[in-house]
Amino acid sequence: MDLKQLQYFAALADGGSFTRAAVSLGLSQSTLSRQVGLLEASVGHRLLVRTGHGASLTEAGEVLLEHARGMLAAAEKARGALRDLHSNPSGTLAVGLPSQVALAQGAQMVARMRGRLPRALVAISEGISLHLRELLIEGRLDVALLYDPPHSPRLAYRALSREAFMLVGPANAPALPKRVTLRALAGYPMILPGRANAIRSQVDAALAPRGIQLNVVAEAGVVLTMLRLVADGLGYTLVPASMLIHDSTRPLLQAAQVGPPVIYNRLVLATPKARPETKVLRQFLDVVRELYPRS
C-alpha cells in the first residue's frame, strides 16, 4: 500500500468530507478522489461512501483506518529516527593521543563530544607519536595528535601548538641557573626517551649539528617515568614545559630554560587524506580547534 494514499485516506476520514480533506492536504478534490480510488482498487474493498454531508467509512474503511494510523505513525517514527541519526550520529571515533595530551586534554575532549554528539563514542588510544602515526596510516585510528611527526603523503597535518624545552632536575639538587646553554647540557647526567621518541628526536636534531653529546645515563619510554626518576635524584631530563603541569612529582622538581637557541616541540593534528570526514570527525576537529586556538 502507498503511504501517501494512506495519508490522504486518513485525512479524509478525519475531515469527514472530500472538500475539507482536500483543503487540509493542499490538493484538488479530483486528485484526492482519484488517489482514494486507487487505494480502494489496491485493497479490493470500497472504503468510503459519499453522503449528503460528506463521506463516511465502510466496514472495510474502519478496519483499514486502524491499520493505516499505525503504519503512518511507524513511518513517521522511522523518519524521525533517520533525522536524528543525521543530526546526532552514533559510531566510534578512534583517537590517538600522546599520554601527556591525554592527561591534559582527554577529559575535555570527551566531555565536549558528549555534549554535542551524545550517541557517539570517543575511543582514546595512548602511545608515543611514532606509533600513533603508524596506526593512523594503517587505518586503525581516525585522527591523532602527534608531536613532531615526519612527513607522510597519506596524512594531513595542522599545527596546534609549540613549546620550549626545559631542563628538569631534582628539587634537592643544587639550584639550576635561570637559563642553561645547549653546550652546558653535556655536563648533566641525562634521563631521556629512546631515539624513536619525538622528544629525543628534537633534542638530537638540535645538539648533533653543534657536536654536543649528552651524558645519557638512562632511558624511559614514558615521560611520567622519566620525571619520577628525576624526582628520585637519578638524573636530569629535557621536556616541554607543559609536561610538568599535570605530574604529581612537580613539587620534587626544579626547571630551567634552555638555549639559545631554544629547542621547540610541535604538536600537530593529523588526519588521513584519503578518508572522508564524517560528522563525528568534523565535530571532534572543531573541539580540538577550540582547545588549541591559533595564537
Side-chain angles (χ1 to χ4, degrees), residues 5-84:
Q5 291 173 354
L6 290 177
Q7 180 187 359
Y8 296 160
F9 169 64
L12 182 53
D14 292 338
S17 79
F18 280 84
T19 301
R20 285 190 292 271
V23 170
S24 68
L25 293 168
L27 302 173
S28 66
Q29 289 190 47
S30 61
T31 299
L32 178 58
S33 180
R34 183 171 64 255
Q35 291 299 318
V36 172
L38 291 172
L39 178 61
E40 288 178 324
S42 70
V43 299
H45 288 278
R46 186 72 177 272
L47 302 174
L48 293 155
V49 176
R50 289 181 182 268
T51 67
H53 300 91
S56 62
L57 294 174
T58 64
E59 182 179 2
E62 295 281 1
V63 171
L64 180 61
L65 180 62
E66 180 180 354
H67 291 284
R69 294 197 192 283
M71 285 187 280
L72 290 170
E76 182 56 34
K77 184 177 180 181
R79 282 191 289 267
L82 291 173
R83 285 194 299 269
D84 183 61

Side-chain angles (χ1 to χ4, degrees), residues 222-233:
V222 179
V223 171
L224 296 181
T225 301
M226 286 197 311
L227 295 177
R228 181 73 260 177
L229 294 175
V230 172
D232 288 343

Side-chain angles (χ1 to χ4, degrees), residues 181-218:
T181 66
L182 297 189
R183 196 156 299 280
L185 293 175
Y188 295 90
M190 286 289 180
I191 301 170
L192 294 175
R195 294 188 182 278
N197 188 283
I199 290 177
R200 182 67 175 271
S201 297
Q202 290 302 104
V203 170
D204 289 347
L207 301 185
R210 295 172 172 83
I212 301 171
Q213 186 171 353
L214 296 179
N215 175 25
V216 180
V217 298

Side-chain angles (χ1 to χ4, degrees), residues 107-120:
Q108 277 286 342
M109 290 176 180
V110 172
R112 294 193 186 199
M113 286 295 290
R114 287 187 63 186
R116 299 177 187 201
L117 299 177
R119 298 175 65 242

Side-chain angles (χ1 to χ4, degrees), residues 115-290:
R116 299 177 187 201
L117 299 177
R119 298 175 65 242
L121 173 66
V122 176
I124 295 176
S125 297
E126 294 183 43
I128 65 172
S129 292
L130 185 63
H131 178 59
L132 295 176
R133 175 180 173 274
E134 292 173 355
L135 295 179
L136 196 60
I137 292 173
E138 292 170 4
R140 296 163 63 184
L141 292 175
D142 299 309
V143 59
L145 274 66
L146 308 174
Y147 283 114
D148 300 294
H151 170 73
S152 169
R154 299 171 62 180
L155 300 178
Y157 295 146
R158 178 185 182 272
L160 296 176
S161 66
R162 190 177 76 152
E163 285 188 280
F165 276 67
M166 308 283 288
L167 175 65
V168 180
N172 58 5
L176 290 171
K178 183 177 180 180
R179 183 176 291 275
V180 178
T181 66
L182 297 189
R183 196 156 299 280
L185 293 175
Y188 295 90
M190 286 289 180
I191 301 170
L192 294 175
R195 294 188 182 278
N197 188 283
I199 290 177
R200 182 67 175 271
S201 297
Q202 290 302 104
V203 170
D204 289 347
L207 301 185
R210 295 172 172 83
I212 301 171
Q213 186 171 353
L214 296 179
N215 175 25
V216 180
V217 298
E219 292 184 343
V222 179
V223 171
L224 296 181
T225 301
M226 286 197 311
L227 295 177
R228 181 73 260 177
L229 294 175
V230 172
D232 288 343
L234 299 176
Y236 294 74
T237 193
L238 290 161
V239 293
S242 68
M243 296 188 177
L244 302 174
I245 297 174
H246 299 277
D247 185 60
S248 60
T249 62
R250 183 65 185 94
L252 306 176
L253 302 171
Q254 59 172 318
Q257 298 176 4
V258 172
V262 178
I263 305 175
Y264 288 103
N265 80 335
R266 182 175 61 113
L267 181 65
V268 304
L269 175 67
T271 52
K273 291 181 179 179
R275 185 175 302 180
E277 286 189 3
T278 64
K279 182 167 185 178
V280 177
L281 177 56
R282 286 195 297 273
Q283 287 292 329
F284 182 80
L285 297 181
D286 287 343
V287 166
V288 172
R289 293 182 187 108
E290 292 169 6

